[in-house]
């Protein structure tokens, strides 16, 4: 299956699928710190990969957790995560 158009810019370089799948995994958690524990990756790695995806895809994906509020996907981020779920690389 070809990747949906919304994902293609992230797939232009090596590691694109990995970054996309990590975004989908992070989105299931309330904070990047919680995702760090669950995924066994450093918070800085996850944050860097999400920022790179935001750059590659051209939009903000997450509203970061602040002041006791959990992080959440932006509408664009929800579209991206939905597209990821539909594809099996």
């Amino acid at each position: 299956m070809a990747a949906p158009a919304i994902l293609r810019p992230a797939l232009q370089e090596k590691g694109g699928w990995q970054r996309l799948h990590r975004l989908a995994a992070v989105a299931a958690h309330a904070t990047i710190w919680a995702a760090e524990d669950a995924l066994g990756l450093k918070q800085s790695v996850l944050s860097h990969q999400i920022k790179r995806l935001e750059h590659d895809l051209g939009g903000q994906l997450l509203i970061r957790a602040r002041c006791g509020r959990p992080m959440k996907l932006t509408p664009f981020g929800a579209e991206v995560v939905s597209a990821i779920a539909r594809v099996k690389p």
Side-chain angles (χ1 to χ4, degrees), residues 23 32 56 58:
L23 168 66
I32 294 217
D56 291 348

Side-chain angles (χ1 to χ4, degrees), residues 23-42:
L23 168 66
V26 166
H29 299 279
T31 65
I32 294 217
W33 296 101
E36 171 188 31
D37 290 338
L39 299 173
L41 295 168
K42 292 186 178 265

Side-chain angles (χ1 to χ4, degrees), residues 22-80:
R22 286 182 177 168
L23 168 66
V26 166
H29 299 279
T31 65
I32 294 217
W33 296 101
E36 171 188 31
D37 290 338
L39 299 173
L41 295 168
K42 292 186 178 265
Q43 177 271 335
S44 60
V45 170
L46 294 172
S47 291
H48 177 76
Q49 290 188 347
I50 291 167
K51 285 179 186 178
R52 182 165 176 187
L53 284 174
E54 289 176 331
H55 176 265
D56 291 348
L57 298 174
Q60 185 178 1
L61 299 168
L62 293 170
I63 298 170
R64 274 53 171 190
R66 287 196 176 164
C67 301
R69 294 185 179 146
M71 75 179 168
K72 64 180 184 174
L73 290 170
T74 63
F76 178 64
E79 285 183 55
V80 170

